[in-house]
């Protein structure tokens, strides 16, 4: 199983060296991968039908508990077959659709990568493993949406899609880790075992929030749905595959997968019902105003995803079964419609539904496909869509309280709009009179019309003979979600009941709407007047606001003025130190053992202080330098008084050299300008004095602390005996701590090299780096 | 006995230095300050070093060093004074109002800072430099 | 002359080695004895200058010390009394000294004496510019230097 | 004396900081020097000060016969002094380059706008 | 003047293990000797006197110091361990790797200080 | 036991630098020597790491003086890992520099300084003595000053002044901290300090000392509000230099923070809170900066700041899990940040600019190279299962355990911003067609004219580091084991102390 | 009274006062050259201080420091005069 999943990755890597051979006629060979995988997974159907689930384990990062743990159950199988099955058709379709495209190899590489990632998502039994694949789908989707990367819109859409799904991804990751942390394992099976603990935990709400946001962004739920219409910038086969049939369902899959872990509580149900409800209505409503075929399909996809979330939210066995069915239904008809649209676009050069009609005369097989798919989406009896819609109503009706009324109403309205949208996309381009300009169109290669036709036919077939998919696929899928057996086989005919009535109403109103309303640019313009209120625009303006704030924040903080930076650092230091210094316990003053003070010492200290004052206040640079060197010489005297002859020597020589250096550099500079106003100076003085005071207080504190002189005793005792020197300081420098000295001269050497280069090196204009 | 000698030397040296210090503080112009300090300080420092040489009689190296420093001070102090005095004149350091004579005035070439002996022009002028 | 000096040094070191007392006073004592011995033993006219010059050096040193103390006291007196009675000025002093060594030595000596300070030497090395603290009369001052330091110095060197 | 030194150290730090906050690069460098001096003196003081007892063993002895100043802070300061000389020298030369480039030592002039990035 | 100071600097260098001084201060004094020479005679003269550019001293000194530091490794001692000749030498006292280390320091310091000062003074001229 | 092995990574670079100085003006020899030296250093680093990993902590008492009297060098897994990563970066940068750095710079000490810098880094990682650490830091900063100014362009000098001022200030804080530390304990050996500080009654003084180190190392590792030097300077030097800076220099500050705050100052509530708050602001600041900048290296500079926050946050939480996460991040970051600056340099070579608005078309022109770069960029983002992903698992989990939700949120925001910025960069630089340049500017492709060998010298290091990054990501178990081991050693320092001071010391 | 106390209580204070006086000149200036010569004098006094201090503490070691001071002190003065003059020359 690992190989089945990794096959996609391996194949996509193989495209790097061998891709160019695949560009011509051999492109069809690319579809061997999905077809093979489809066969592989199809072989599991009997086992799964028998209630088995197949597990696979291969260690990867055991210390994190992240291993290649895969689990094939009904739900996984349903998705796996969708992914590989529709994948096969899309691969074949694309061979013709993108024939001669210079980057066809890249296209297949991305697509294989995506397919592998998607399989990983649906097969992983470990939430982090799932997440890894989840993110890979986002990334491959990024590359696929931006496939036409010289187009600015494509790039922008890819960025938006990645931004939304990626951002949601990070939250999802947090949620999954929190789940794993609480349940002690990242394995979904083990999480199911501890689901009561999770649901009872104080952080349950947070988990749900994080997981929901992850799922909602991926599955384009309101208000994160806006990336999906943008993603239609991708080539149509990609839209068909990723953005309708598979990837966008990853969020739904996740919710379904985690239902046994997290589901069934009010915190689970209501948010999903509300968000799903809003999404399905919002998407459906918007779809009827679109004139771009892909736009219609995109919004109807959003709506369908809303329905799925809605169903999972309801969380009754019926609703979950309904969800399983609807996943399949929607995948089949939506993919078919997308592929049909692709051909239309390919052949006519437009997707504007107001421009298209009568194409059945030139693209007959596609007209069939479109019609069948539209019928399925409309939920006419004997289509698979009919069963799907029935189940939805069934589900909404069987909820508690006043909900049935509201929810069912919602579902009906949504379905009316969706029906309209389906007819618009599947019927409208083919119906009516063929305009003159399209009469020359020829039917394209079979690879382009056979796949949608096949999908559409399947949609009808499953509708007419529901048993085909029921026990083998859908029932196990729902069982996997609910964790118990469901005993209600799919039927075409439930008898005369409320559900049938609702279906009838839906059908009638939808068809009426289709007949009454013609899509027009006018309608589009009308709905676009509400754009400023749409989440897309709100989020965009929020982004702009954040961006503006970021600019202001960064400019304010990083304003280019060194002294401001330094000031902040010092204030920060003063605040921290002062806080810790004055919190808890008073500051004791010095103990008794102070050394006496001589007049000459006072004189030296006094001179030092005055010299500091001079250095700080002088208006002449050279005077400041003189004052600085007085400070150095004063220090030198202090070192002499306090028994440090070596230090005094070094301090003195260094100080003199520094003066020489300063004079060398400064003698041509004019005198200081007073560049700061009074206020600034006072502020700086306050900060500086505070810092000095803090240092002094700390110094006093440390002086209270008795000194441990073990090490200096050791040096004194062994300097001559072991290290053969009498000047202990020098012995320390060349022996005890010789390493310091060695690298101190390295510092000097580097400085010298630096000075040399800094003054001598002049790069030529051509030497950029 | 020896310590009285040392004490005496120290005292004279310290006083000489004190005088130099008073001199540099009190003298009204740069040249006078320079003039006062170089000698008094050299004398004072020398005497103090000499007393150290006497104080550590058993350590030859100390005496050597003390003498070396004295030698060095006498050698370098005038040179340093000469250099800085000349520089001060160049950069137009003002002279005290009581100054009675300035033979240097006008003797420097403004660009090259070369100093003429004035023999060719017989510039025995009393006027102040124009700078 | 160098020969005599080296000989004298050798004698002084020998003395130190003989007495076994390594100290400056002992060395100086040995040097004096050596000088005396050499002087007594000297029969060569051409080497005679060594023996006149050493006393002259000592004499010059004493003169310099005297001048230094005198001038120091003068300056000190002026400093500690509230009113200045100095009359500073810069004097051009035509030298007899010719070589670099002579000029350096002369200017060092003049500079070290309180009250006088060399400011510069002219480019043609003929003239010293001296800053004088107590300038009563220019010519008298020049004469004083000529008869004092410069003459004594040149006597020793030349 | 310790108290006096502590105050001196405080003043050195304060003055150093104040100089860091000026616009002139010369002052900045002087400020860094002052800070360095302050830090050195702090090591010296906090390591414990002893008067007139340098950590040098008498020429006749093999061990210390008397108390002696702690040599470790001295060695540390020595290293620190030398290192800061290296930094200081480099910084001073940098100042020279700055002056050549912008004809002043005003740090506020060291702000090439971002648009001129390469 | 130059020879006196150089001699003095060597003196300071060699006695550093016993009295204040050592390679660092010694090197500084030597460097200052050359700097003084350059003040009176001009930088070019001093460079001529040195024959090689002072920056060439740096690797030499670093090399000596580093070798004396790592030499103990060759005889199986920890890095920086002092190796000593058994018999004391006159004036200097015992000779050991520490002395070579100090000599390395001395050379580096001379090289560094002169490189810095001469580079700047030539730049401004 | 006498064991000089662990100082070899230092010695190699020192001698390489000395030899390079003898070949001062021979640029061909310099390149060969430098690459050879880096390779040897890498082999030694690998050897050191495997030795330490297999046999435990190694120490060397310099000059044969037992701790705490001499300077002790210690190679535990943490330090030898840092040495190892430094060696990888070293090989990559030195190879890249052979073509990527102007000849003029080589003539004025580029390679010697480079090796001295690496030596300084290795020394800092290996030393067990706080003052010796200071010396190493000074070696590093002076070398970085020289590196930063080498070439002397105006922007470089401007950056260098700010860099210098703040780094010297940092050193002053560091030195002040050492002064206090010595004043209260009388020792400089870090293991000894660990014992003595642990035994100290006066916690106030300990905290105060710790603050000095937080500020000192905080400046060096660019923590808010001490980070200002970084965005002021990292966009100015040659990219090879920026690679070392971006990959290693801030990290040595992080290393020191980790060392100090796990060995000597065990964070109490005050310090934990402080570190976490600083981390949050650091992340946010880096995020804001990165999203608004348009120059590739400026973007990267702010990303460095942002990601420093991740590591500091991990330290602040101070649980074994958090430390593991922070360490993993550190390892990943060293490799990736080095590489992205090399990549920036390569882009500059290809197009003559690093302004994203003026760049484009690289994917079309160099698809394979672009994919390698994409791999690195996505590692930086932390796209699973690449290297940046794994640490976040630990950090998130630690955040939940400690209930540090604000920090968690900041990490999420920072990760998201990184994703956004990198995706934007990819779209602008690689996807977008090469835009028309304004009048007077023309494309300068300095890459095309190079011969194959020199091209490969530029590309090979990027591929090399990318391969390591990929290894870190895909074989995460190995690196995780290392990080966990280190984190464990950080929580239980007694093996370290015993290795240094001998077995008879009881904490 | 021993020599040591005499130095501590008489000589060193005198020198201390001298230091202060000289420093006042540094403080007052008015020109750089004034400050430079005052600095020079300050160092010379420093040589004296260190010398008598070594007598007072009976540590000849300090003489070495005095020697270094004496040797190097005038370097600063020379540097100042050299470059001030150069600046005057432009
Ligand atoms: Na008077
Ligand atoms: Na020394």
């Amino acid at each position: 199983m690992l190989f089945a999943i990794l096959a996609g990755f391996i194949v996509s890597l193989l495209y790097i060296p061998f891709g160019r051979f695949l560009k011509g006629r051999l492109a069809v060979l690319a579809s061997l991968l999905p077809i093979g995988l489809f066969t592989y997974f199809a072989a599991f159907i009997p086992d799964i039908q028998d209630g088995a689930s197949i597990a696979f384990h291969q260690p990867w990062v055991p210390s994190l508990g992240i291993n290649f743990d895969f689990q094939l159950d009904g739900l996984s199988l349903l998705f796996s077959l969708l992914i590989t099955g529709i994948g096969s058709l899309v691969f074949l379709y694309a061979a013709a659709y993108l024939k001669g495209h210079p980057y066809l190899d890249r296209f297949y590489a991305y697509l294989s990568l995506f397919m592998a990632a998607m399989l990983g998502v649906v097969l992983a039994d470990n939430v982090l493993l799932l997440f890894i694949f989840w993110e890979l789908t986002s990334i491959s989707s990024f590359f696929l949406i931006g496939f036409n990367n010289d187009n600015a819109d494509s790039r922008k859409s890819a960025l938006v899609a990645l931004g939304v799904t990626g951002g949601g991804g990070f939250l999802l990751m947090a949620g999954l880790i929190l789940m794993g942390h609480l349940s002690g394992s990242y394995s979904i099976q083990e999480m199911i075992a501890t689901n009561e603990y999770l649901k009872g935990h104080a952080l349950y709400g947070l988990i749900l929030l994080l997981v929901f946001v992850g799922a909602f962004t991926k599955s384009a739920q309101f208000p994160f749905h806006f990336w999906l219409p943008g993603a239609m910038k991708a080539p149509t086969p990609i839209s068909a595959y990723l953005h309708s049939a598979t990837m966008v369902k990853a969020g739904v899959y996740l919710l379904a997968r985690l239902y046994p872990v997290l589901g069934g509580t009010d915190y689970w149900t209501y948010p999903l019902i509300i968000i799903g409800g809003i999404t399905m209505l919002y998407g459906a409503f918007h779809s009827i105003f679109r004139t771009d075929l892909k736009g219609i399909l995109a919004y109807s996809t959003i709506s369908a995803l809303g329905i799925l979330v809605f169903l999972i939210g309801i969380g009754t066995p019926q609703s979950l079964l309904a969800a399983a069915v609807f996943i399949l239904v929607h995948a089949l008809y939506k993919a078919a419609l997308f592929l049909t649209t692709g051909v239309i676009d390919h052949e006519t050069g437009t997707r504007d539904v107001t421009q298209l009609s009568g194409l059945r005369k030139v693209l007959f097989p596609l007209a069939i496909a479109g019609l069948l798919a539209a019928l399925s989406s409309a939920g006419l009896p004997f289509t698979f869509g009919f069963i799907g819609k029935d189940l939805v109503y069934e589900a909404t009706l069987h909820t508690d309280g006043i909900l049935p009324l509201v929810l069912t109403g919602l579902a009906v309205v949504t379905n009316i709009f969706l029906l309209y949208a389906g007819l618009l996309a599947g019927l409208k381009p083919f119906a009516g009179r063929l305009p003159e300009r399209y009469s020359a169109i020829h039917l394209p290669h079979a690879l382009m019309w056979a796949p949608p036709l096949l999908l559409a036919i399947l949609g009808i077939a499953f509708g007419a003979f529901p048993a085909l998919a029921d026990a083998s696929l859908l029932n196990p899928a729902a069982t996997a979600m609910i964790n118990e057996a469901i005993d209600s086989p799919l039927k075409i005919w439930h008898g005369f009941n409320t559900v049938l009535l609702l279906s009838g109403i839906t059908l009638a109103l939808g068809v009426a709407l289709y007949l009454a309303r013609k899509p027009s640019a006018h309608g589009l313009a009308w709905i676009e007047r509400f754009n400023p209120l749409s989440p897309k625009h709100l989020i965009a303006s929020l982004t702009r606001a954040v961006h503006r704030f970021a600019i202001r924040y960064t400019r304010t903080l990083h304003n280019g003025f060194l002294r401001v930076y330094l000031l902040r650092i010092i204030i920060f230091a003063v605040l921290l130190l002062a806080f810790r210094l004055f919190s808890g316990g008073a500051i004791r003053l010095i103990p008794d053992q102070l050394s006496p003070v001589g007049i000459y010492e006072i004189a030296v200290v006094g001179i030092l202080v005055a010299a500091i004052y001079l250095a700080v206040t002088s208006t002449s640079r050279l005077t400041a330098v003189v004052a600085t060197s007085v400070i150095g010489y004063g220090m030198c005297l202090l070192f002499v008084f306090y028994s440090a002859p070596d230090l005094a020597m070094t301090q003195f020589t260094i100080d003199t050299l520094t003066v020489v250096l300063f004079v060398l550099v400064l003698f041509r500079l004019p005198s200081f300008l007073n560049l700061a106003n009074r206020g600034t100076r006072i502020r700086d003085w306050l900060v500086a004095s505070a810092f000095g005071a803090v240092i002094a207080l700390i110094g006093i504190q440390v002086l209270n602390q008795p000194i441990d002189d073990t090490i200096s005793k050791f040096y004194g005792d062994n300097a001559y005996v072991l290290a053969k020197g009498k000047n202990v300081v020098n012995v320390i420098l060349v022996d005890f701590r010789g390493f310091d000295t060695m690298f101190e001269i390295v510092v000097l050497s580097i400085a010298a090299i630096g000075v040399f280069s800094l003054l001598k090196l002049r790069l030529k204009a051509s030497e950029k780096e | 006995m020896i310590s009285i000698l040392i004490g005496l030397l120290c005292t004279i040296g310290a006083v000489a230095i004190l005088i130099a210090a008073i001199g540099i503080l009190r003298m009204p112009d740069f040249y006078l300050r320079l003039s006062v300090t170089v000698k008094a300080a050299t004398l004072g420092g020398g005497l103090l070093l000499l007393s150290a040489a006497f104080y550590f009689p058993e350590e030859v190296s100390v005496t050597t060093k003390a003498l070396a420093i004295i030698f060095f001070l006498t050698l370098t102090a005038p040179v340093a004074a000469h250099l800085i005095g000349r520089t001060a004149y160049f950069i137009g350091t003002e002279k005290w109002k009581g100054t009675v004579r300035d033979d240097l005035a006008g003797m420097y070439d403004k660009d090259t800072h070369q100093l003429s002996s004035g023999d060719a022009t017989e510039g025995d002028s009393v006027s102040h430099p124009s700078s | 002359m160098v020969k005599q000096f080296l000989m004298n040094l050798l004698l002084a070191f020998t003395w130190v080695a003989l007495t076994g007392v390594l100290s400056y006073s002992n060395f100086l004592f040995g040097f004096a004895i050596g000088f005396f011995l050499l002087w007594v033993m000297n029969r060569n006219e051409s080497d005679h200058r060594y023996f006149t010059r050493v006393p002259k050096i000592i004499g010059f040193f004493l003169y310099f010390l005297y001048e230094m103390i005198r001038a120091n006291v003068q300056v000190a007196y002026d400093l500690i009394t509230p009113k200045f009675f100095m009359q500073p000025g810069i004097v051009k002093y035509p030298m007899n000294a010719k070589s670099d060594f002579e000029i350096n030595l002369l200017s060092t000596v003049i500079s070290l004496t309180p009250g006088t300070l060399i400011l510069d030497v002219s480019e043609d090395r003929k003239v010293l510019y001296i800053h004088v603290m107590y300038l009563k009369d220019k010519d008298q001052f020049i004469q004083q230097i000529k008869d004092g330091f410069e003459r004594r110095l040149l006597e020793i060197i030349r | 004396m310790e108290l006096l030194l502590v105050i001196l150290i405080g003043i050195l730090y304060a003055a150093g900081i104040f100089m860091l906050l000026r616009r002139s690069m010369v002052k900045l460098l002087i400020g860094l020097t002052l800070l360095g001096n302050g830090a050195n003196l702090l090591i010296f003081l906090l390591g414990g000060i002893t008067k007139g007892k340098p950590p040098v063993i008498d020429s006749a002895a093999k061990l210390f016969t008397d108390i002696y100043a702690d040599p470790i802070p001295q060695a540390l300061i020595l290293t620190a002094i030398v290192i800061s000389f290296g930094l200081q020298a480099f910084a001073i030369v940098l100042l020279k380059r700055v002056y050549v480039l912008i004809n002043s030592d005003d740090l506020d002039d060291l702000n090439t706008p971002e648009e001129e990035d390469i | 003047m130059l020879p006196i100071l150089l001699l003095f600097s060597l003196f300071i260098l060699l006695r550093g293990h016993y009295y204040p001084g050592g390679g660092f201060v010694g090197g500084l004094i030597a460097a200052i000797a050359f700097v003084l020479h350059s003040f009176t005679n001009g930088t070019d003269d001093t460079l001529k006197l040195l024959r090689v550019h002072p920056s060439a001293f740096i690797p030499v000194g670093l090399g000596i110091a580093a070798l004396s530091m790592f030499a103990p490794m060759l005889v199986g001692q920890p890095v920086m361990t002092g190796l000593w000749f058994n018999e004391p030498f006159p004036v200097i006292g015992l000779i050991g790797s520490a002395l070579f280390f100090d000599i390395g320091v001395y050379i580096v310091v001379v090289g560094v200080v002169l490189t810095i000062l001469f580079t700047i003074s030539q730049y401004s001229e | 036991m006498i064991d000089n092995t662990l100082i070899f990574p230092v010695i190699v670079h020192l001698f390489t630098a000395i030899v390079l100085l003898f070949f001062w003006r021979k640029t061909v020899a310099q390149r060969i020597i430098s690459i050879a030296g880096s390779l040897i250093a890498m082999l030694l680093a690998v050897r050191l790491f495997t030795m330490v990993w297999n046999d435990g902590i190694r120490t060397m008492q310099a000059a044969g003086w037992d701790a705490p009297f001499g300077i002790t060098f210690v190679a535990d897994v943490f330090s030898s890992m840092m040495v190892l990563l430094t060696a990888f970066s070293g090989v990559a940068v030195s190879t890249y520099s052979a073509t990527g750095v102007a000849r003029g710079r080589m003539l004025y000490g580029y390679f010697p300084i480079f090796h001295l810098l690496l030596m300084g880094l290795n020394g800092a990682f290996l030393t067990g003595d706080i003052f010796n650490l200071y010396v190493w830091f000074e070696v590093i900063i002076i070398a970085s000053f020289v590196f930063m100014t080498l070439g002397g362009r105006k922007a470089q000098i401007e950056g260098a002044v700010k860099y210098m001022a703040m780094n010297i200030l940092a050193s002053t804080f560091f030195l002040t901290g050492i002064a206090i530390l010595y004043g209260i304990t009388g020792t400089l050996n870090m293991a000894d300090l660990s014992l003595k500080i642990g035994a100290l009654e006066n916690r106030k003084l300990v905290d105060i000392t710790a603050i000095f180190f937080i500020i000192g190392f905080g400046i060096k590792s660019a923590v808010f509000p001490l980070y200002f030097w970084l965005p002021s300077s990292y966009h100015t030097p040659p990219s090879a230099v920026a690679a070392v800076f971006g990959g290693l220099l801030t990290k040595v500050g992080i290393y020191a923070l980790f060392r100090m705050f796990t060995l000597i100052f065990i964070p109490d509530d005050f310090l934990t809170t402080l570190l976490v708050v600083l981390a949050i602001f650091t992340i946010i600041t880096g995020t804001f900066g990165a999203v608004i900048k348009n120059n590739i290296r400026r973007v990267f500079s702010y990303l460095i700041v942002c990601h420093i926050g991740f590591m500091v946050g991990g330290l602040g939480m101070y649980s074994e899990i958090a430390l593991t996460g922070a360490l993993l991040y550190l390892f990943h970051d060293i490799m990736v940040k080095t590489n992205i600056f090399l990549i920036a340099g390569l882009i500059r070579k290809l197009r003559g600019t690093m302004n994203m608005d003026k760049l484009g078309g690289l994917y079309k022109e160099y698809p394979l190279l672009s994919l390698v770069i994409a791999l690195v960029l996505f590692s930086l983002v932390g796209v699973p299962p690449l290297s940046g992903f794994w640490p976040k698992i630990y950090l998130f989990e630690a955040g939940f355990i400690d209930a540090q939700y604000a920090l968690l949120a900041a990490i999420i925001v920072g990760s998201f911003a990184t994703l956004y910025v990198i995706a934007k960069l990819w779209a602008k630089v690689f996807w977008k067609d090469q835009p028309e340049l304004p009048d007077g500017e023309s494309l300068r492709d300095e890459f095309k004219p190079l011969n194959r060998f020199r091209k490969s010298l530029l590309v090979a290091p990027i591929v090399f580091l990318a391969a390591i990054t990929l290894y870190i990501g895909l074989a995460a178990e190995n690196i995780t084991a290392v990080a966990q081991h280190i984190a464990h050693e950080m929580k239980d320092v007694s093996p370290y102390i015993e290795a240094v001071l001998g077995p008879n010391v009881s904490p | 009274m021993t020599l040591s106390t005499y130095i501590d209580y008489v000589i060193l204070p005198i020198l201390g006062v001298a230091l202060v006086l000289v420093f006042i000149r540094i403080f007052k200036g008015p020109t750089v050259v004034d400050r430079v010569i005052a600095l020079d004098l300050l160092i010379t006094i420093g040589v004296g201080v260190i010398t008598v201090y070594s007598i007072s503490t009976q540590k000849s070691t300090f003489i070495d420091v005095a020697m270094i001071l004496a040797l190097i002190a005038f370097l600063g003065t020379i540097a100042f005069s050299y470059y001030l003059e150069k600046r005057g020359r432009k």
Side-chain angles (χ1 to χ4, degrees), chain A residues 560 563 570 595 597 600-601 612 615 621 631 641-644 672 684 688 692 696 712 716-717 726 728-729 744 762, chain D residues 1-2 10 14-15 17 22-24 26 50-53 55-57 59 61 63 68 70 74 79 97 105 108 111:
Chain A
R563 61 204 149 84
I570 299 301
S595 37
V597 186
Y600 54 97
E601 288 167 310
I612 293 168
R621 289 167 209 276
I631 297 166
F641 294 153
Y642 292 94
S643 327
F672 290 126
D684 292 349
S712 60
D717 293 344
K726 293 197 169 173
V728 184
V729 174
E744 141 204 335
R762 288 292 164 274
Chain D
M1 191 60 197
E2 282 86 348
I17 296 295
R22 305 296 93 210
R23 272 172 65 176
S24 153
V26 177
T50 311
K51 214 167 164 184
K53 309 277 183 209
V56 178
I57 301 172
S59 33
L63 287 172
Y68 56 94
D70 187 348
Q74 297 189 16
T79 308
R97 286 287 294 141
D105 75 332
D108 285 11
N111 276 320

Side-chain angles (χ1 to χ4, degrees), chain A residues 646 730 733, chain E residues 21-22:
Chain A
D646 280 283
N730 189 273
L733 287 177

Side-chain angles (χ1 to χ4, degrees), chain F residues 476-494:
Chain F
E477 177 62 19
N478 300 339
I479 199 92
T480 308
V482 172
Q484 278 178 339
H485 184 105
I486 299 172
H488 186 73
E489 280 185 349
M490 284 176 169
K491 293 299 272 189
D492 176 18
V493 293
S494 53

